[in-house]
Amino acid sequence: MSPTLRDIAEKTGLDVSTVSRVLNKDTSRGVSESKRQEGLTVAQGMGYRPHRSARALRMGRHFNIAYVLVEPSASRSDLELPFARFCLYGMEEILTARGYLVSLLRLDLKNPKSLHEAALRWRHVDGLVFYYRALSAEVIAL
């Protein structure tokens, strides 16, 4: 099981709210440099990683961006095209460095069920990046 803020607080003797401020780089309230460093060291040593769902609830964001491949048919994926891959890899490199998850979503315009499933998944993303060789009014209307 992943360590929690409470686990880090117990190990360091700091308050849970202080540990939270340290890990979120909140400088609005003074935390001494030694306590800040201790909290960061213990968190790293314990393998602490923020819980995505808790973070989404607290911040009102999911930190998830969808890269939507709009494909006119299921016969050949646009992801086979070098430029589409270049865009995806570049976007992923930049966004993961900022704490975001990049989701790949294929959207088959010939399959209405695909549109419905995509709409359901979009509820959990903060942004959409569409890749389509010729964006149609049908896709824009989504």
Side-chain angles (χ1 to χ4, degrees):
M1 185 169 182
S2 297
T4 64
L5 293 179
R6 187 174 309 281
D7 297 331
I8 297 166
E10 287 174 6
K11 190 161 185 173
T12 60
L14 299 172
D15 192 68
V16 174
S17 61
T18 302
V19 173
S20 176
R21 283 195 300 277
V22 166
L23 295 177
N24 289 309
K25 299 178 179 119
D26 180 359
T27 58
S28 64
R29 295 190 187 145
V31 176
S32 72
E33 182 60 29
S34 63
K35 286 183 180 182
R36 188 184 73 74
Q37 200 57 41
E38 181 182 7
L40 292 171
T41 302
V42 169
Q44 185 177 18
M46 294 177 78
Y48 173 79
R49 293 194 318 160
H51 191 276
R52 281 194 160 288
S53 297
R55 186 178 179 201
L57 282 172
R58 182 175 47 86
M59 300 190 80
R61 294 187 296 174
H62 294 276
F63 293 89
N64 189 5
I65 304 293
Y67 183 73
V68 184
L69 276 173
V70 183
E71 299 180 326
S73 71
S75 63
R76 179 176 174 211
S77 173
D78 279 350
L79 198 53
E80 294 174 21
L81 301 173
F83 184 71
R85 284 194 312 274
F86 175 78
C87 291
L88 174 62
Y89 297 155
M91 188 175 91
E92 183 179 36
E93 182 179 338
I94 291 168
L95 290 172
T96 54
R98 288 167 174 77
Y100 282 82
L101 177 68
V102 177
S103 299
L104 176 62
L105 180 60
R106 289 183 61 211
L107 188 58
D108 180 2
L109 293 179
K110 303 271 191 247
N111 180 358
K113 186 178 177 185
S114 169
L115 296 173
H116 177 69
E117 289 170 356
L120 289 175
R121 291 180 65 192
W122 290 345
R123 294 183 321 171
H124 301 288
V125 298
D126 299 313
L128 301 166
V129 176
F130 285 90
Y131 177 86
Y132 189 48
R133 287 175 270 163
L135 202 55
S136 66
E138 180 182 5
V139 173
I140 294 171
L142 293 174

